[in-house]
Amino acid sequence: ILQALYERDMLQEGKRGLGFAVGEEPLPSLMARFGCGILATDLDIRDDRATVWAETAQLASTLEGLNSRAICPHDVFKKRVNFRPIDMNKIPNDVTDYDFTWSSCSFEHCGSIGLGKRFLRKQMKCLKPGGIAVHTTEFNLSSTEETIDSGTTVLFRRQDIEAMIRDLQADGHTVETLQL
């Protein structure tokens, strides 16, 4: 994620990034250190689905927890990073005009392959024209036909990813070469 954003000049002063289901990852802190303004999001801790993530220290619930490694000086972090509970299945319409969005192995937890696909299309509306989206996901390498297509964690097959690419392109977006 960082390499992709770095290569596209997104990790610099004044750029705005939106992270989905950030958990306790260090990315918001590092991006802020580079000068980016960040909105870090995760499932609301009061949501029943959040329990498993909270129990395994994979849920962000406070701003302070996002800089636990002190990658970014505290005063700078507080100025550049905000936290907001957001369900990836219900992205509010007021979350717009970001230079980049990202998620790290998150959209496979939307509940189904269809919901994961819907998330990817909907989150594109959060970007300003020319913005960059970088997402990673779990990938089914053992079968091109059978997979886990609904539940807490789904496994996308190559054809699911290729279908998402076609949908995004049909919506007018440019999609770079798939990296497997």
Side-chain angles (χ1 to χ4, degrees):
I1 293 170
L2 289 171
Q3 186 65 33
L5 293 172
Y6 174 78
E7 290 173 2
R8 289 150 188 86
D9 296 321
M10 290 290 151
L11 298 178
Q12 59 180 297
E13 188 77 36
K15 295 292 184 179
R16 295 179 64 232
L18 169 61
F20 291 97
V22 298
E24 294 188 5
E25 67 188 33
L27 295 179
S29 183
L30 186 58
M31 292 168 178
R33 185 177 178 103
F34 280 116
C36 302
I38 300 298
L39 176 58
T41 72
D42 212 335
L43 196 58
D44 192 315
I45 196 160
R46 297 169 295 193
D47 188 305
D48 290 341
R49 296 169 296 160
T51 304
V52 66
W53 304 111
E55 289 173 350
T56 56
Q58 297 180 75
L59 181 74
S61 59
T62 65
L63 184 61
E64 293 74 27
L66 296 173
N67 196 29
S68 62
R69 296 172 179 95
I71 293 170
C72 185
H74 181 71
D75 59 326
V76 174
F77 181 83
K78 296 270 297 178
K79 289 179 189 172
R80 294 186 179 154
V81 180
N82 290 300
F83 174 78
R84 180 174 171 185
I86 291 181
D87 181 340
M88 292 188 304
N89 289 321
K90 299 175 187 169
I91 302 171
N93 292 330
D94 67 335
V95 183
T96 59
D97 296 321
Y98 287 88
D99 295 293
F100 62 91
T101 59
W102 86 90
S103 70
S104 179
C105 289
S106 300
F107 71 88
E108 66 272 14
H109 303 296
C110 287
S112 70
I113 287 176
L115 288 172
K117 289 178 179 181
R118 189 178 81 185
F119 160 75
L120 283 180
R121 291 177 89 177
K122 175 100 176 170
Q123 66 82 43
M124 294 301 287
K125 295 177 183 176
C126 300
L127 292 166
K128 60 174 62 170
I132 304 293
V134 183
H135 299 279
T136 64
T137 190
E138 309 296 339
F139 191 74
N140 185 345
L141 294 173
S142 65
S143 175
T144 58
E145 297 303 319
E146 295 182 24
T147 196
I148 301 169
D149 59 6
S150 65
T152 305
T153 303
V154 301
L155 296 175
F156 290 89
R157 298 160 295 191
R158 182 179 196 101
Q159 68 251 31
D160 300 317
I161 302 294
E162 290 171 345
M164 282 188 273
I165 290 170
R166 286 190 300 274
D167 289 346
L168 290 166
Q169 290 171 330
D171 291 344
H173 304 293
T174 300
V175 181
E176 293 186 20
T177 304
L178 180 63
Q179 295 180 12
L180 298 175

